[in-house]
Amino acid sequence: MYLLIVASLAIMFSCGSDNDDLQTGEITLNKTTLNLVSGTIDEEAILSAMGVSGELENVEWTSSNPSVAKVDSDGKITALSKGTAIITAKSGKNIATCEVKVTGLSAYYIMAENGEIWGLYKDGELVAPVSEGALLYTFLVSGNDIYFAGSKNNYPTMWKNGVETRLSNQRGAAISLALDGDKVHAGGYIEYFTDLSNGVPVIWSNGSERILADLSPTAEDPHIDGGVSKMLVRNGDVYAGGNKGRNPVIWKNGEVFVDEYYGVYSRFEDFCFLNNDLYHLFREESSQLILMKNQERHSLEPVSNLSPQNSSILTVNEDVYILAIANHGTEVVLFKNGQKVELSGGYVPTGTEWNSAYVHGCVVDNDLYIFEYRQLSLDKGKLTVWKNQEVIYIGDDTGIGVYSITLVKE
């Protein structure tokens, strides 16, 4: 499975170090601690030994646990697996040490294997299957707990560690999740009539249901579409984003927080906070993406042929990124602070292959990871991974589709 390869790529976190010298006898190391991710080599992970007269050349380097981290004759460390190793530098009778802690970077994602078994995969292995009749939309991994949101036989359903809980006796789906201590919040919709397009936005907190709007169809607007598609918890407050009829809406603790009619049907896409600023992304009927900052329009470089697929906002330090799909589902578009930026490389389908792309993103230790899955045929897809706009992986897959992918530092 291709994501088994993803986990072993040279995907790297920034290396943390303690610059206080550790001196034993006449040797001083430039670092006393290092935090690395398995499978990486980096200039930050090169140790040097100093004596009273300067840098030492004839140094013997050893590792207490070479299966976790090995070191070569030049002091270069390679992180191999999760664990701890002590790197020792010896010159004559004098020694100095550096503690190396290695973590892993695992890829979690939802997939329907050949369209049959839905579940959560970790590095290519099915770790949390769900029963027949389930459709999964999103997941959260928190410690040893795995949460799913979706539907089972067309009823809103949530799973925790494989235990299934129906959230409503009305048809619909749970689409988003957020955790707040021991509280689990899910957002989605329930049907107003038998037509799935007529939904009522709903949140569930530890299973308790709260309907956020009454969306009775009217003669003027018979095709109401409402639901919650994004949730987050901030400073103890629970925020939900979605649609209430024609309007993209953000609710705070179950009450309307942002609700503006923009003159045309608008579809909610995503929202986030950066410092104390609220960024709200929605799509107009023309498919043009609109970014609001504190309810004021924030300019985006125009891009033609944006596809009616989910877009998302991610923040890295003080920068705001937007991921979207353009050109009828064939091109991944990335904006940085409102301007389109290029993604290098990537897979270019042949003329005989399908070309339908799904895009996801996540931020780990201030690094931006972008995942593009292209469905190329009924039983073949291609995954491309970017780290900070540079391709780090292109591989094959035989699954039916990859959804809601993220990386977890373990």
Side-chain angles (χ1 to χ4, degrees):
M1 186 72 63
Y2 62 85
L3 275 171
L4 186 61
I5 303 173
V6 174
S8 63
L9 292 170
I11 301 176
M12 188 174 353
F13 288 90
S14 58
C15 217
S17 65
D18 182 349
N19 291 320
D20 295 333
D21 289 344
L22 173 65
Q23 186 167 331
T24 304
E26 296 183 351
I27 296 182
T28 300
L29 292 183
N30 61 324
K31 296 179 177 68
T32 63
T33 63
L34 281 171
N35 297 306
L36 302 174
V37 171
S38 59
T40 71
I41 301 176
D42 184 56
E43 60 183 10
E44 292 287 335
I46 300 176
L47 299 179
S48 59
M50 303 295 292
V52 293
S53 300
E55 185 171 354
L56 298 173
E57 294 183 358
N58 297 319
V59 178
E60 180 184 352
W61 296 95
T62 58
S63 171
S64 67
N65 197 347
S67 64
V68 171
K70 66 180 182 179
V71 61
D72 67 12
S73 59
D74 295 320
K76 181 183 293 184
I77 300 170
T78 302
L80 298 174
S81 62
K82 288 184 284 187
T84 301
I86 304 299
I87 304 300
T88 299
K90 183 178 180 181
S91 178
K93 297 182 179 180
N94 301 318
I95 64 171
T97 61
C98 175
E99 182 183 57
V100 177
K101 294 182 179 180
V102 180
T103 57
L105 192 62
S106 296
Y108 286 85
Y109 60 101
I110 290 173
M111 188 172 77
E113 181 72 21
N114 296 321
E116 296 177 358
I117 303 175
W118 277 89
L120 184 70
Y121 288 73
K122 176 184 177 182
D123 299 337
E125 296 184 5
L126 180 62
V127 295
V130 296
S131 56
E132 187 177 352
L135 177 63
L136 304 180
Y137 286 93
T138 191
F139 70 93
L140 285 175
V141 177
S142 178
N144 294 321
D145 295 323
I146 298 173
Y147 300 85
F148 291 124
S151 65
K152 174 71 178 294
N153 297 324
N154 295 319
Y155 290 94
T157 307
M158 191 184 74
W159 292 260
K160 178 182 178 181
N161 300 328
V163 178
E164 176 184 311
T165 300
R166 179 182 284 192
L167 298 173
S168 176
N169 289 324
Q170 291 180 269
R171 292 161 60 95
I175 300 173
S176 54
L177 285 170
L179 299 180
D180 182 17
D182 60 352
K183 292 184 178 180
V184 183
H185 305 283
Y189 70 91
I190 56 177
E191 288 184 52
Y192 198 86
F193 293 112
T194 57
D195 182 358
L196 281 173
S197 67
N198 293 324
V200 176
V202 177
I203 56 174
W204 296 271
S205 296
N206 284 355
S208 178
E209 182 177 278
R210 181 166 183 174
I211 296 176
L212 300 178
D214 179 7
L215 296 184
S216 303
T218 65
E220 293 77 19
D221 193 0
H223 300 294
I224 298 298
D225 183 12
V228 173
S229 55
K230 170 69 177 287
M231 297 194 71
L232 61 84
V233 177
R234 181 174 184 266
N235 299 329
D237 294 316
V238 180
Y239 293 85
N243 265 77
K244 186 182 71 172
R246 293 179 175 270
N247 297 9
V249 178
I250 298 174
W251 293 268
K252 178 181 178 181
N253 299 325
E255 302 295 333
V256 171
F257 184 59
V258 176
D259 182 6
E260 294 186 10
Y261 179 55
Y262 300 101
V264 296
Y265 175 78
S266 301
R267 174 183 168 180
F268 171 87
E269 293 289 331
D270 200 1
F271 75 102
C272 71
F273 289 91
L274 178 59
N275 301 321
N276 291 318
D277 294 320
L278 170 64
Y279 290 87
H280 174 202
L281 184 69
F282 66 92
R283 189 187 302 272
E284 290 184 337
E285 201 166 18
S286 63
S287 291
Q288 183 62 44
L289 279 176
I290 305 297
L291 178 65
M292 307 293 288
K293 179 181 179 182
N294 299 327
Q295 296 178 249
E296 294 184 2
R297 186 170 295 215
H298 195 62
S299 61
L300 279 179
E301 180 179 338
V303 174
S304 60
N305 297 321
L306 283 171
S307 300
Q309 298 180 9
N310 288 340
S311 303
S312 59
I313 308 176
L314 302 111
T315 60
V316 181
N317 297 319
E318 299 297 314
D319 296 319
V320 178
Y321 291 87
I322 295 175
L323 272 174
I325 295 289
N327 292 326
H328 309 290
T330 64
E331 178 188 359
V332 176
V333 179
L334 178 66
F335 298 90
K336 178 181 179 181
N337 300 326
Q339 298 300 307
K340 183 181 176 182
V341 294
E342 294 300 322
L343 289 171
S344 65
Y347 179 73
V348 179
T350 66
T352 59
E353 293 176 319
W354 295 359
N355 193 3
S356 179
Y358 307 88
V359 64
H360 312 272
C362 69
V363 177
V364 182
D365 283 1
N366 293 323
D367 289 318
L368 174 64
Y369 294 89
I370 297 172
F371 307 88
E372 174 201 72
Y373 182 80
R374 290 184 179 273
Q375 195 71 41
L376 303 177
S377 66
L378 184 61
D379 58 357
K380 178 183 177 183
K382 182 80 70 172
L383 179 74
T384 302
V385 184
W386 289 267
K387 176 185 176 183
N388 299 328
Q389 299 172 231
E390 299 294 329
V391 169
I392 58 173
Y393 176 76
I394 298 178
D396 289 314
D397 167 54
T398 58
I400 197 66
V402 175
Y403 306 92
S404 195
I405 185 170
T406 193
L407 298 176
V408 177
K409 186 178 179 181
E410 299 179 325

